[in-house]
Amino acid sequence: MKKLGMLFLSTVALVSAQAAQATTYTPAGTFTATGTLTVQKGLTLNCAATFKIVVPEAAPDAHGTFSHGHSANVTAATLTGGLCPLVTLNNLPWPVTYDGTNLIFTGVAASTITPGGCLPGTIQGAWNNTTKTVTFVNQTLTGGSGSANCIINGTLTVNPTISITNP
């Protein structure tokens, strides 16, 4: 019985340690990331980009408030300007994680005006918690059907203000 009790306490301690190290998005809510993205795949397009990011409320914290979340998803993404509306960002929602330096967007895919599109993949951008910006530098998604890869560059600013931490 004593061993069973120690096993239970060890399991609780491990789960608590993992939860304490989770990414925290403060506050919970709906955010808009806007800016300019350059998308290259045969053509180079400079597009106004808008991403809708949803951070669901977490369980109540020690103070009983729902002021933060531990997950985030891009639920809508659009490109506008020139030929940009012909590029459809799809495979939504995209889970967003944070490694302490970069925001990582998983499952990103696109239909493009050039053959093959962009297959689902992961892109990441450096997160600046002071300026509330994410900057993508030469992020690559594999081109479909043996076509050219898709290269993404640019910076998006998130509003309203959000703080993202990962202890």
Side-chain angles (χ1 to χ4, degrees), residues 19-134:
Q21 293 181 11
T23 298
T24 300
Y25 303 88
T26 306
T30 300
F31 302 86
T32 303
T34 58
T36 301
L37 292 181
T38 300
V39 180
Q40 296 174 292
K41 182 178 174 23
L43 301 172
T44 299
L45 301 175
N46 292 311
C47 304
T50 303
F51 290 7
K52 179 181 172 185
I53 303 168
V54 176
V55 176
E57 291 181 342
D61 61 18
H63 306 291
T65 62
F66 291 93
S67 60
H68 60 275
H70 294 295
S71 65
N73 291 292
V74 174
T75 59
T78 58
L79 300 174
T80 58
L83 295 174
C84 296
L86 298 175
V87 177
T88 305
L89 299 170
N90 48 38
N91 207 36
L92 294 158
W94 305 328
V96 181
T97 56
Y98 181 59
D99 67 6
T101 302
N102 296 297
L103 289 178
I104 302 161
F105 300 77
T106 305
V108 178
S111 300
T112 61
I113 59 177
T114 56
C118 308
L119 298 177
T122 300
I123 61 172
Q124 62 183 11
W127 173 248
N128 185 316
N129 213 33
T130 303
T131 61
K132 309 309 179 197
T133 57
V134 57

Side-chain angles (χ1 to χ4, degrees), residues 112-162:
T112 61
I113 59 177
T114 56
C118 308
L119 298 177
T122 300
I123 61 172
Q124 62 183 11
W127 173 248
N128 185 316
N129 213 33
T130 303
T131 61
K132 309 309 179 197
T133 57
V134 57
T135 301
F136 302 97
V137 178
N138 294 324
Q139 293 302 295
T140 303
L141 294 172
T142 302
S145 302
S147 65
N149 290 337
C150 302
I151 310 295
I152 301 166
N153 288 285
T155 299
L156 303 177
T157 302
V158 179
N159 284 302
T161 297
I162 186 171

